[in-house]
Amino acid sequence: FTVIIPFGGLAFRVNLLSSFLGACVVALLYLITAGITGNAKGEPDEHPYVFRTLILAACIVFSLSGIMWSAAVASEVFMLNAFFALLISCLLLFRSNHGGLYAAAFLFGLGLANQQTLLMIVPACAIAIYFNYRKILSARTIALAAASTGLGLCIYLALPARASVPAALNWGNPDTLERFFRVLTRADYGTFQLADTAKGGSALHFAFGQIAHYTKNSLAYFIYVLYCTLASGILASGGIRYIKNNNKTPVYLFLLLAFFFIGPFFIGFARLPLDPYSIAKMERFYLLPNLFFFIMAVAIIKDGLKIKPDNSIYKRILLFVMTVVIVLLFFINAMPRILSGGGKRGDTLVRGFGSNMLKTLSPNAVLFTGGDNYSFPLAYMAIVEGMRPDVTIINDSGNVFKNWYGSDFS
């Protein structure tokens, strides 16, 4: 992506990728919700434009939410992870042939190489495969699906390939099998945890504390969205009855399992401390579970419309109310970002921080550093922009810059 974009610096082009993926996620959000709430076979298509307006309004609301906006304007793995998860969901929910299964398996392997938390959607995927693909499942099909996942995971081979030649960045230096598996299993971070558990509380205390914070953080937003939708005269209870009567339980079970395992289960399993730094780190993981919860909530409410009588006056009133809701939600969500300049365009704080650190150094200086907040700004300025080639930078972990002292650095 950074090669095909002919304008802007490297950092701008990488950030642009996140914004592009954000637009793709919103499109998938609409397609999944519209597909899930499609009419049953033989059912008349009542109020199609009202339904589509409702779904579009919901997607616009979510696209302007803080969690979505912040992920779309930053160079991080979370928007790409959401893109993979929703694309896999599309294939598993709306396809039932060999090609759909193999494509989903390949994307799953590729997505794991981006962020391993994608493993949390496996229970939901198993439900979708059982209900949608069980007629074509065989030993050969399962083997080919596993091979497709392995093919996607082959992207990991780029790590030892890069380590075999001089490279500007060579995280963990995976030039041996031992170091390769160390990077693969996130050994430096703790294979089955995001970070070391801090003192001052038990792991169970941290787990429930983080889940409580997630619930408090997300609940206010979803109550706001659902309130605006219910204000349009939509009854969620009708949606639940419609699901039961039209055999949509497997689809909603898929959404519920995806939300639970990628959301409350993972957040509790991570057991991060309750300090502000750890909470801020954990909040970045709220995007994906909120996506699944949002699809589930909006789809249930939208299905509730189908118990309404076919009344042209009702249709016109509902369409008018939904239009007003879209306009109001747009300004309520977007206005603070518009007034503050929108995104991070023109925000040079990090670049200035890295540049100023290098400017203060004497000629041929040696700088010892550690931690992401110091290492990455220095890496961008020194490696990408070539600033101060006379300076030698030493990193405590050796993942970004060289570490002269190995494990004895501390």
Side-chain angles (χ1 to χ4, degrees), residues 11 48 57 68 140 153 180 225 232 248 277 326 369:
M68 183 73 179
R140 181 176 182 273
L153 288 169
F180 173 67
V225 174
S232 304
K248 287 194 173 184
Y277 175 78
I326 291 174
T369 183

Side-chain angles (χ1 to χ4, degrees), residues 347-364:
D347 184 352
T348 59
L349 176 63
V350 176
R351 186 182 188 280
F353 179 55
S355 175
N356 289 334
M357 278 194 288
L358 292 174
K359 286 179 180 178
T360 60
L361 299 175
S362 303
N364 302 312

Side-chain angles (χ1 to χ4, degrees), residues 120-121 123-124 256-267:
M120 294 292 107
I121 69 169
L256 183 62
L257 288 176
F259 161 73
F260 172 76
F261 281 101
I262 200 69
F265 177 83
F266 171 75
I267 291 169

Side-chain angles (χ1 to χ4, degrees), residues 160-180:
R162 180 188 59 189
S164 65
V165 297
L169 284 175
N170 188 27
W171 191 275
N173 189 26
D175 57 348
T176 66
L177 191 61
E178 179 184 358
R179 282 198 284 263
F180 173 67

Side-chain angles (χ1 to χ4, degrees), residues 244-407:
K244 184 178 179 180
N245 294 336
N246 289 275
N247 298 320
K248 287 194 173 184
T249 302
V251 174
Y252 284 88
L253 182 59
F254 168 87
L255 294 172
L256 183 62
L257 288 176
F259 161 73
F260 172 76
F261 281 101
I262 200 69
F265 177 83
F266 171 75
I267 291 169
F269 181 77
R271 305 182 303 279
L272 284 185
L274 301 177
D275 58 90
Y277 175 78
S278 299
I279 288 177
K281 180 186 293 186
M282 195 72 251
E283 285 177 350
R284 302 176 301 170
F285 292 88
Y286 293 175
L287 173 62
L288 191 51
N290 283 7
L291 279 166
F292 284 110
F293 184 89
F294 192 79
I295 294 171
M296 184 167 52
V298 172
I300 289 175
I301 294 173
K302 188 262 185 182
D303 276 339
L305 274 171
K306 296 185 177 181
I307 67 167
K308 291 289 184 181
D310 187 6
N311 188 302
S312 59
I313 296 177
Y314 165 77
K315 176 180 177 180
R316 292 170 185 171
I317 293 175
L318 181 59
L319 185 58
F320 171 77
V321 172
M322 287 306 305
T323 303
V324 173
V325 169
I326 291 174
V327 174
L328 288 177
L329 292 181
F330 175 79
F331 281 104
I332 291 172
N333 279 278
M335 191 56 69
R337 299 179 227 291
I338 294 173
L339 295 177
S340 64
K344 296 183 180 295
R345 187 74 179 269
D347 184 352
T348 59
L349 176 63
V350 176
R351 186 182 188 280
F353 179 55
S355 175
N356 289 334
M357 278 194 288
L358 292 174
K359 286 179 180 178
T360 60
L361 299 175
S362 303
N364 302 312
V366 177
L367 175 63
F368 294 87
T369 183
D372 293 354
N373 293 335
Y374 297 96
S375 299
F376 289 117
L378 287 169
Y380 183 82
M381 298 308 300
I383 298 173
V384 177
E385 299 201 3
M387 185 177 179
R388 295 299 304 270
D390 61 304
V391 172
T392 300
I393 304 175
I394 309 300
N395 181 244
D396 58 351
S397 64
N399 287 328
V400 181
F401 299 101
K402 291 181 179 179
N403 178 0
W404 287 355
Y405 298 97
S407 60

